[in-house]
Amino acid sequence: MITVIAGGVGAARLLAGLVRVVDPAEVVAVVNVGDDLELHGLRICPDLDTITYTLADAVDPDRGWGLRDESWQAMEMVGRYGGESWFGLGDRDLGTHLYRTQRLAEGADLVAVTEEITRAWGLALRLLPVTTDRLRTMVTLGQDDAPGPDSPGLTAGTEVGFQEYFVQRRHAVPVAAVRVDGADLARPAPGVLEAIADADVVVVAPSNPIVSIAPVLAVPGVRRALVARRDDVVAVSPIVAGAALKGPADRLMTELGHEASVVGVARLYAPFAATLVVDEADLDAANIIEAEGIRPVVAPTVMRTPQIAAELGRVVIDAGRGLA
Ligand code: FO1
């Protein structure tokens, strides 16, 4: 079994590569739910849906999230009434949130509903929300020296939900702190700790270390379960040559006092991962990474094509099995 600690887009791309080199039924993704939000009375799970749509080859390739061939009539109607239309919910995507919300209201839990949705898309891999309890990544905004149209002069110290930071303000504002609301009371969903304990290899996907990976590890018991498997944990750096490939991972690391580089990622991940896969662009950092107590493996990590994603999947599995 290959267990993958997963956020959104980067994790979805790696998973799409992994399922081309191993039996998809052997893959379990433990997925972040800290990005989730309630909007229009609906429960929305961006990371679960991004992975589902990507693996079903239904995701919009340009956005990396949401469905291709989407229309936006419903949100236009909401906007017409002055309702909240800043979070882009497409008309087909809304069907997912309607179904999930109804099933949760009927008393089904998020593990069961996620299973129903992935099965409906014909996926063989298992997606597990890290918890079925409430978990919300909250972002405290820092001093914005260049207020723009996306951050209407908000004072430093304002705390907003993750999507209000990431989408509504287009993450165009500095961050002073990130916390995971509900982490202290959340319990790992059934199967999560077993998926980590029983895996041949545990993979930390190239997701945002601060707002995708950290919230998963913030659920009591999860980080400890990873530390116990450290020798078999392989992480893939989301930072390449000092920059994030998508989203604010580099800026968030800097704003929160970490080095936005593969060395900064190595320092964050060394306690629970024995191996860090970095892109060839970071070959010269290999010895510094080693000094941080984590073994570097250098390979192409920019998944421009499904073939590169599959090759990266192969590298990750071999590294986890001590073959690379
Ligand atoms: N990201 C955006 O940048 N703008 C959006 O309007 C947006 C809407 C959206 C709707 C459903 C969904 O599943 C994801 C959506 N995302 C949007 C992406 C989402 O904010 C991120 O994928 C994750 O939360 C971070 O990985």
Side-chain angles (χ1 to χ4, degrees):
M1 173 167 56
I2 309 289
T3 297
V4 182
I5 306 298
V9 178
R13 293 217 171 108
L14 178 63
L15 283 162
L18 273 174
V19 297
R20 289 160 57 113
V21 293
V22 295
D23 176 357
E26 287 293 305
V27 179
V28 180
V30 173
V31 184
N32 174 38
V33 289
D35 291 8
D36 289 11
L37 69 166
E38 278 80 27
L39 209 52
H40 317 295
L42 300 172
R43 170 71 181 275
I44 300 158
C45 303
D47 284 346
L48 285 166
D49 293 346
T50 295
I51 293 171
T52 301
Y53 294 164
T54 301
L55 291 187
D57 196 18
V59 76
D60 180 276
D62 302 324
R63 282 182 267 118
W65 52 266
L67 290 164
R68 70 156 70 90
D69 308 334
E70 189 57 281
S71 57
W72 311 88
Q73 307 292 314
M75 280 304 107
E76 278 173 27
M77 286 300 280
V78 169
R80 174 193 297 265
Y81 303 124
E84 292 203 79
S85 58
W86 55 272
F87 195 69
L89 296 169
D91 297 326
R92 300 173 64 216
D93 185 37
L94 275 169
T96 302
H97 313 310
L98 289 170
Y99 179 77
R100 177 187 288 124
T101 304
Q102 176 58 32
R103 291 288 294 122
L104 293 172
E106 289 166 0
D109 72 26
L110 189 59
V111 170
V113 179
T114 301
E115 167 102 24
E116 290 163 15
I117 291 171
T118 50
R119 191 178 334 113
W121 284 101
L123 302 187
L125 91 164
R126 197 145 59 99
L127 294 196
L128 275 179
V130 60
T131 181
T132 58
D133 295 322
R134 180 180 166 75
L135 198 73
R136 290 292 177 274
T137 301
M138 301 301 289
V139 175
T140 299
L141 304 179
Q143 184 53 46
D144 189 1
D145 301 331
D150 302 324
S151 58
L154 271 173
T155 52
T158 308
E159 186 176 65
V160 296
F162 175 76
Q163 300 298 350
E164 279 85 356
Y165 158 72
F166 189 83
V167 175
Q168 194 168 28
R169 287 171 184 76
R170 291 180 175 70
H171 50 79
V173 291
V175 166
V178 173
R179 73 183 177 91
V180 185
D181 188 43
D184 47 337
L185 298 174
R187 292 151 298 167
V192 165
L193 297 182
E194 296 81 349
I196 295 171
D198 302 343
D200 298 309
V201 178
V202 181
V203 181
V204 178
S207 298
N208 187 314
I210 309 292
V211 292
S212 296
I213 301 301
V216 174
L217 272 55
V219 175
V222 175
R223 175 185 277 265
R224 188 171 46 240
L226 277 181
V227 170
R229 295 299 316 274
R230 184 179 184 277
D231 289 350
D232 306 315
V233 179
V234 183
V236 179
S237 174
I239 302 288
V240 174
L245 297 177
K246 187 176 171 69
D250 47 5
R251 276 186 287 119
L252 276 171
M253 287 179 74
T254 305
E255 287 160 1
L256 297 176
H258 308 290
E259 186 183 316
S261 69
V262 287
V263 177
V265 175
R267 286 190 190 116
L268 283 173
Y269 288 0
F272 52 79
T275 306
L276 178 63
V277 182
V278 300
D279 189 77
E280 295 161 323
D282 288 303
L283 173 65
D284 57 6
N287 53 354
I288 312 171
I289 290 168
E290 201 124 35
E292 293 299 334
I294 188 168
R295 175 173 72 104
V297 167
V298 180
T301 65
V302 182
M303 295 174 274
R304 290 189 189 85
T305 66
Q307 186 52 37
I308 296 175
E311 284 158 9
L312 179 57
R314 181 81 271 152
V315 165
V316 163
I317 290 170
D318 289 351
R321 288 177 172 154
L323 307 175

